[in-house]
Amino acid sequence: MKHLISLNDLTLEEIEKILNLSEKLKNQQKARVTHHLLSGKTLGMIFTKSSTRTRVSFEVGMYQLGGYALFLSSNDIQIGRGETIYDTAQVLSRYIDGIMIRTFDHSDVEDLANYGNIPVINGLTDLLHPCQILADLFTIYEHKGTLKGLKLAYLGDGNNIAHSLLHGCSKVGMDISIGAPKGYQCNENIVSNAKEAAKISGSNVVITEDPVEAIKDADVVYTDTWVSMGQESEKQARIKIFEPYRVDGNLFCKAKEDAIFLHCLPAYRGYEVTQEIIDGPQSLVFDEAENRLHVQKAIMAILMG
Ligand code: CP
Ligand code: NVA
């Protein structure tokens, strides 16, 4: 493992290694046991989009690992004024030990990895959000004690979160059903990659327009905003189209009785999920957000250690 760009690039063993180390680092952090695995190392964090969780959890994580994190807003560095990805990758490789990048075009992250000599971590693109989904898998494992054989239902937009869930669930042997409206379904290549992985892990991938079919008997119910970063101008149209996919009490009760609710956050109560569900007893959204910290520390320790 040289970079973390897509969960499709990882083997099951690599995913398990990240989850096992996450558990160890979480326990050490809770017990206040020092674990300076990246002492003297620096992470550069390039942001072309907003962030609360990703920015804070990577920065705090690096600090807890004994290293240092630099926040590099694309408004302030030369990449925002047209300096090439090639030159940026070459220059940053001379100063720092790893890059985390959040941006629009997925190919920019791949280019940064190809042109530089240091590990690159995808902190979200329009296509994928692998760090989030590793934290989600860790959260599910913590609460269910297993991953294999569980069913996750994702309702709403076939976006970056849905894509990384397809990659992640199919690798670890979880069934995944995506309920999304026509025109907003997942990228076909990603669906076919997931179906391939599911054959190996013995799981199932279902793509449907029917939210009830998707959520039926699910162990994990997941949704995300209907309006991702960069889609603000489509907001009014999207709100109408996604209405039947809102996770409310009527829909959630079709999942298993002990189903858990996840959301990557930020959430918009009353749109993709009602308050009774996201703030209800089966919601784990803040454990999930916390786990970004522990899982990303594991990712950085493995890639940059
Ligand atoms: N879930 C997530 O990536 O949150 P931020 O946009 O706040 O980083
Ligand atoms: N799909 C959302 C995820 C935010 C963490 C977006 O891209 O804005």
Side-chain angles (χ1 to χ4, degrees):
M1 216 179 125
K2 279 168 72 182
H3 305 284
L4 178 60
I5 296 179
S6 164
L7 294 183
N8 197 43
D9 303 333
L10 266 53
T11 62
L12 175 62
E13 291 68 34
E14 286 168 334
I15 293 176
E16 285 172 349
K17 184 176 171 186
I18 293 169
L19 301 184
N20 289 337
L21 184 57
S22 305
E23 189 176 14
K24 183 176 166 195
L25 294 178
K26 182 170 183 174
N27 289 336
Q28 287 182 338
Q29 187 58 35
K30 297 281 176 201
R32 298 274 158 195
V33 174
T34 307
H35 44 282
H36 285 174
L37 302 177
L38 294 180
S39 173
K41 301 260 169 116
T42 304
L43 176 79
M45 308 189 298
I46 302 176
F47 282 93
T48 308
K49 289 175 171 175
S50 309
S51 171
T52 299
R53 280 142 290 268
T54 304
R55 176 178 175 179
V56 177
S57 56
F58 267 103
E59 193 163 334
V60 170
M62 204 54 197
Y63 175 71
Q64 292 177 358
L65 290 168
Y68 184 69
L70 275 172
F71 175 66
L72 305 168
S73 161
S74 63
N75 292 328
D76 303 327
I77 60 171
Q78 299 287 9
I79 214 168
R81 297 180 60 246
E83 186 168 19
T84 62
I85 304 258
Y86 178 84
D87 288 0
T88 305
Q90 284 287 322
V91 170
L92 291 180
S93 296
R94 303 288 177 111
Y95 299 138
I96 61 182
D97 305 287
I99 302 173
M100 192 285 299
I101 176 167
R102 163 169 289 197
T103 194
F104 293 86
D105 282 347
H106 190 72
S107 62
D108 286 351
V109 179
E110 293 172 333
D111 289 347
L112 199 59
N114 289 333
Y115 298 150
N117 309 308
I118 52 176
V120 169
I121 299 170
N122 177 0
L124 178 147
T125 63
D126 286 347
L127 194 68
L128 299 174
H129 196 3
C131 294
Q132 176 69 53
I133 275 51
L134 287 168
D136 302 336
L137 294 177
F138 182 60
T139 308
I140 297 165
Y141 184 75
E142 274 187 327
H143 287 269
K144 295 281 182 190
T146 183
L147 293 174
K148 205 169 163 61
L150 297 178
K151 172 180 170 176
L152 182 144
Y154 173 93
L155 296 179
D157 190 14
N159 62 13
N160 42 14
I161 294 291
H163 291 154
S164 287
L165 282 169
L166 277 168
H167 283 152
C169 292
S170 60
K171 291 252 170 170
V172 301
M174 285 175 67
D175 293 342
I176 176 164
S177 288
I178 306 272
K182 203 164 169 235
Y184 295 88
Q185 296 217 339
C186 291
N187 175 302
E188 284 178 16
N189 284 332
I190 292 176
V191 173
S192 92
N193 286 335
K195 286 186 172 166
E196 284 300 307
K199 263 191 221 153
I200 298 168
S201 70
S203 67
N204 246 315
V205 175
V206 173
I207 306 291
T208 174
E209 286 173 37
D210 180 354
V212 176
E213 181 195 345
I215 205 169
K216 199 170 175 311
D217 295 328
D219 299 283
V220 183
V221 177
Y222 200 123
T223 189
D224 181 20
T225 180
W226 295 339
V227 187
S228 285
M229 290 179 275
Q231 299 170 337
E232 290 76 10
S233 66
E234 300 169 29
K235 185 172 173 186
Q236 289 316 318
R238 284 174 165 267
I239 287 172
K240 281 204 189 91
I241 292 163
F242 287 109
E243 173 99 36
Y245 299 84
R246 172 177 303 127
V247 180
D248 58 12
N250 281 333
L251 205 48
F252 193 76
C253 71
K254 308 268 191 313
K256 284 205 183 130
E257 214 174 66
D258 63 349
I260 57 173
F261 175 77
L262 298 181
H263 189 311
C264 57
L265 306 180
Y268 301 91
R269 287 168 175 75
Y271 291 94
E272 72 273 13
V273 60
T274 55
Q275 188 169 10
E276 65 170 325
I277 299 299
I278 193 168
D279 298 320
Q282 282 159 277
S283 172
L284 295 178
V285 297
F286 299 120
D287 286 353
E288 181 185 6
E290 176 188 333
N291 283 336
R292 294 290 302 280
L293 171 69
H294 308 298
V295 167
Q296 288 159 192
K297 283 168 68 180
I299 295 165
M300 291 190 287
I302 290 168
L303 290 176
M304 296 167 61

